[in-house]
Amino acid sequence: MTNYPLLNLFWTMLEFFIWILWFFLLFKILADIFRSHDMSGWAKAGWIVLVIILPFIGVLAYVIIRGRSMGLRDQEQAQKADAAFKQYIRDAAAPPTEGVTASTGTRHVEELSKLADLKANGALTEDEFQKAKDKLLG
């Protein structure tokens, strides 16, 4: 049996956790470099080389220099995803188009089922659910 004190175990766990956080930050920064539209291809290449060749200095420099814009790009992407999700809800709750034949009843059932799932998942409030249901059935 080996002698490995409890404090060493905690220290090892802390180092492992910090290592995982480091990789998360590194991948987040690499994704942000590729997602950034305000940098030229050469600037992106320079940041990638800096982050890969001198990882600690490169990552810290990127966070210091471009950290604020990185947060803004994350916020913009979240707003676009939210808008797309809300548009999907509007499209799913829209009344059927003209010329829909016998499948109209089936379509209503499917769309009501989608609305109920969205409500159950917490994506829709009770009021939004009722409005969408009334719009669909009305």
Side-chain angles (χ1 to χ4, degrees):
M1 186 177 231
T2 62
N3 187 10
Y4 198 68
L6 186 62
L7 188 59
N8 286 351
L9 176 67
F10 288 137
W11 184 253
T12 302
M13 288 172 53
L14 179 66
E15 287 176 341
F16 181 72
F17 181 70
I18 290 172
W19 189 248
I20 296 297
L21 286 176
W22 169 253
F23 276 113
F24 176 77
L25 181 62
L26 181 66
F27 292 133
K28 178 87 171 150
I29 286 175
L30 286 173
D32 187 67
I33 290 171
F34 286 110
R35 182 178 58 188
S36 180
H37 297 291
D38 61 338
M39 281 196 295
S40 68
W42 287 106
K44 289 179 182 183
W47 276 113
I48 290 171
V49 167
L50 184 63
V51 165
I52 291 174
I53 301 297
L54 300 170
F56 291 110
I57 294 171
V59 166
L60 289 176
Y62 190 86
V63 169
I64 290 169
I65 295 170
R66 297 187 48 86
R68 181 181 308 257
S69 62
M70 187 167 72
L72 293 175
R73 279 186 293 282
D74 280 343
Q75 185 178 16
E76 180 183 324
Q77 183 180 11
Q79 288 172 347
K80 285 181 182 178
D82 185 51
F85 180 70
K86 287 180 180 178
Q87 183 61 42
Y88 170 75
I89 291 173
R90 282 188 215 102
D91 291 345
T97 58
E98 294 297 321
V100 177
T101 59
S103 65
T104 303
T106 307
R107 183 170 179 226
H108 285 312
V109 171
E110 290 174 358
E111 292 189 15
L112 282 172
S113 174
K114 288 178 188 177
L115 286 172
D117 289 341
L118 289 171
K119 181 181 172 241
N121 291 336
L124 291 175
T125 64
E126 180 65 34
D127 186 45
E128 291 170 330
F129 174 74
Q130 288 301 326
K131 286 179 183 177
K133 186 173 82 169
D134 292 340
K135 186 175 181 181
L136 180 65
L137 298 175

